[in-house]
Structures are given as structure tokens and as C-alpha cells.
Amino acid sequence: MQSDRTALARGLRQRSGLAEQKVWAQLCAGKLDGLKFRRQHPVGRFIADFACERLKLILEIDGGVHDRDDVALNDHLRQKELEALGWTVLRFSNRQVLENFDTIADAVRAHARLILSDYG
């Protein structure tokens, strides 16, 4: 029997928007420098859009609703809690993803260099 969080994550994967689909197409199967990402992955009490456990990196893809003050505040509080668990959260808008995925790839690579150099 699957847990409620597993069912929620599965539902989120099935209802992903165009921007999330584009990100996943670029991340799945280690396409970005061999890094393994999971989508709609449980982290703490939250479900991250994309997570790389090796880097403790979360990518969040935000649609227009995230411009609302109440949603932005919730995002901020959520991010602080995830950071307290040792994760780094990088946020990108749907627009950034759709107009220039290279921005996201460059940010992931920069974070990977930072983290992996620490383990030298």
C-alpha cells in the first residue's frame, strides 16, 4: 500500500506543466553531467519539484501564482525549513525555464562545483 505522500508525488508528476516537463527532459537519466535528479521527491515534510540527493540540491519551478504575496511568504518559510535540513534551494520561474534552460543548467553546474570541490 502506498503512502499518502507517494500518491501525492505521483499525482504531481502526472500533472506537471510544460516548464517542469522541459526541466525533467533535461535532467532525467543523468543527462546533466551525470547528476541523478528525482522529480516530485519527498524532502522532509515537503515534496520538491526536483532534487539531487548527492548535491543536496532542490530545484523549484514557479508558475505565476508564486508572485502572490501569500504564496511567496509560504515559499520563503518552506525554503528556510529545507535549508535547515541541509539542502540548497534554487528557484526559477516558468518563464526562465521556457526561454533559456541554460540558465538553470549553469546554476546547477556552479552548485555542483562548489559542493564537489568541498569533498575534493
Side-chain angles (χ1 to χ4, degrees):
M1 182 168 164
Q2 68 182 7
S3 72
D4 290 341
R5 269 188 358 165
T6 301
L8 176 59
R10 180 170 290 127
L12 289 169
R13 285 191 297 272
Q14 291 170 348
R15 292 186 306 274
S16 63
L18 181 60
E20 286 186 0
Q21 290 173 17
K22 183 173 181 177
V23 171
W24 183 240
Q26 299 295 322
L27 296 178
C28 71
K31 288 179 184 172
L32 183 61
D33 299 345
L35 296 168
K36 182 178 180 179
F37 277 86
R38 297 177 183 273
R39 66 183 175 140
Q40 302 304 334
H41 182 66
V43 178
R45 64 186 188 100
F46 301 107
I47 296 177
D49 287 344
F50 302 95
C52 176
E53 291 181 341
R54 179 177 179 200
L55 300 177
K56 295 209 55 134
L57 175 64
I58 292 171
L59 303 179
E60 288 294 315
I61 311 304
D62 296 338
V65 71
H66 292 267
D67 293 336
R68 290 184 14 203
D69 289 343
D70 60 325
V71 176
L73 175 61
N74 188 49
D75 287 344
H76 174 76
L77 296 173
R78 180 178 186 267
Q79 183 165 331
K80 289 296 180 192
E81 192 169 330
L82 290 165
E83 289 170 347
L85 295 172
W87 290 78
T88 298
V89 179
L90 300 178
R91 305 191 83 80
F92 301 95
S93 69
N94 283 352
R95 180 180 214 149
Q96 287 173 295
V97 170
L98 296 173
E99 290 181 357
N100 187 6
F101 179 80
D102 289 342
T103 302
I104 290 94
D106 291 345
V108 170
R109 287 184 178 115
H111 183 74
R113 281 191 302 275
L114 178 70
I115 295 301
L116 297 177
S117 70
D118 287 345
Y119 297 109

